[in-house]
Structure formats: structure tokens, C-alpha cells
Amino acid sequence: MDLTQSANTPVARRALYPGSFDPVTNGHLDIIVRAARLYEQVYVAVFVNPSKPGLFTMDERMEMLAEVTDELPNVAVSSFKGLTVDFCRQHEVGVIVKGVRAVSDFDYEQQMAQMNYGLAGVETLFMPTNPLYSFLSSSLVKDVAKWGGDIDEHVPGPVATRLVARLRDA
Ligand code: PNS
């Protein structure tokens, strides 16, 4: 076992928060803000998932993320097609941050964390979601908005505006 690799290597000071972000919710934003306090640089990357076409385009998701993280100087928004570990290699990122809402999230998240560690030695930090947002997901928000429910407490203002407009035009 190699004990010489310090947790404070440059690689460990950069983190990746990957996801679909279709669209970004207040739950995501809470994790981004907390991760930005822990790491020198946080990459928030929208991952292409061919089996999930989604409501917003990749560019729209990135625009919304950029808008709502504008005040966080150490957060960079991008998109990526491929494996999370390949993004990590390209950007010298040592840690993937994941929000965990409930035990039901944990099983699959743990499998991905173990796979990513095995593939590239990239660690995963599981961050418990703020209980205010433990029930929140992009899918639920889209469903509530689709049927005219109030989403103002669940997504940042600019996202609510775009969601209502998109669903009205649909
Ligand atoms: O917001 P989501 O949809 O829960 O995000 C899922 C995401 C993008 C984090 C996951 O699908 C992912 O990591 N995709 C990249 C492809 C990859 O690396 N797959 C192997 C994971 S072990």
C-alpha cells in the first residue's frame, strides 16, 4: 500500500461535480456551493447521456448553470461526452463530488464510485443533501412545472422562468 500520496496533492484540490442537470435545481446548487468551499476548483460538467434526451439542450443546461454559479469564482461549467474518469484525467481532477439524497441513492452511487476508483484511482466524496432538498430531483420539478405547480422554491429564479417558458411552448 502506497501511503506517500498526500490528500493535499494538487489533483485532490480540484473536484468534479457531474450530472445531467436537466435542469439544475436548488439541491444541485447547494452541493455546488458547499463543494466550492472545500476545493480550490470545482468543475460542474453536464454529461451527455444518449439514452436520456432531456428537456433542455446541453448548451441551455450549461447556460443555466453558468448563470446560477456566476458569483462563485472557483466554479467552472462545461460539458463532456464520455467517462467521468476521462474528464478527471484531462483536467487533473482527483475527486468526484456526488450529492446523496437518501439511502436509495447510495447503492448505485457506491457502485459508480468503486468503478471510478478502480478505473483511474479517482475518489468520490458523498455529500449528504441538505434535508430541505432531499425529495428534490430534476424529473420531479419538470413534472410539477408541466402540470402548473409552483416550482419557485425548488429551482433558481432564472431556471423557473425558462422551465415555464419551455413547457408553455411545448
Ligand atoms: O444527474 P445524473 O443523471 O444522475 O448524472 C449521472 C452521471 C452523468 C453522473 C453518470 O451517468 C455518469 O457518470 N456518466 C458518465 C459516464 C460514466 O462515466 N459512466 C460510468 C460510471 S461508473
Side-chain angles (χ1 to χ4, degrees):
M1 190 180 205
D2 178 11
L3 301 179
T4 58
Q5 176 108 358
S6 153
N8 285 326
T9 57
V11 167
R13 292 199 294 265
R14 287 188 198 162
L16 164 67
Y17 181 40
S20 302
F21 303 112
D22 184 40
V24 57
T25 67
N26 284 340
H28 295 131
L29 191 54
D30 176 67
I31 299 287
I32 295 169
V33 169
R34 288 159 63 198
R37 290 190 202 120
L38 293 177
Y39 296 98
E40 286 184 359
Q41 176 75 46
V42 176
Y43 295 96
V44 179
V46 183
F47 273 72
V48 175
N49 184 346
S51 58
K52 263 200 208 173
L55 181 65
F56 293 102
T57 66
M58 300 296 283
D59 284 347
E60 288 170 328
R61 298 179 207 186
M62 284 172 60
E63 278 165 24
M64 286 184 272
L65 278 165
E67 196 171 355
V68 302
T69 60
D70 187 42
E71 288 173 24
L72 301 169
N74 60 335
V75 171
V77 175
S78 59
S79 65
F80 196 74
K81 187 174 182 181
L83 293 174
T84 47
V85 293
D86 286 336
F87 182 101
C88 293
R89 285 196 188 104
Q90 285 178 20
H91 295 82
E92 296 193 308
V93 166
V95 180
I96 297 168
V97 174
K98 289 292 189 79
V100 179
R101 289 167 296 193
V103 177
S104 50
D105 280 346
F106 188 73
D107 198 26
Y108 185 51
E109 289 296 343
Q110 188 181 28
Q111 289 173 28
M112 286 200 283
Q114 289 168 335
M115 178 63 84
N116 287 329
Y117 186 80
L119 285 171
V122 176
E123 296 286 0
T124 297
L125 177 83
F126 291 130
M127 198 175 265
T129 299
N130 183 324
L132 276 177
Y133 308 123
S134 60
F135 59 91
L136 198 54
S137 70
S138 300
S139 310
L140 272 185
V141 168
K142 283 183 281 193
D143 204 34
V144 171
K146 183 173 153 191
W147 299 107
D150 185 2
I151 51 164
D152 289 348
E153 281 181 22
H154 306 320
V155 292
V159 176
T161 306
R162 283 204 198 214
L163 250 179
V164 170
R166 173 58 46 88
L167 293 167
R168 186 189 53 216
D169 298 343

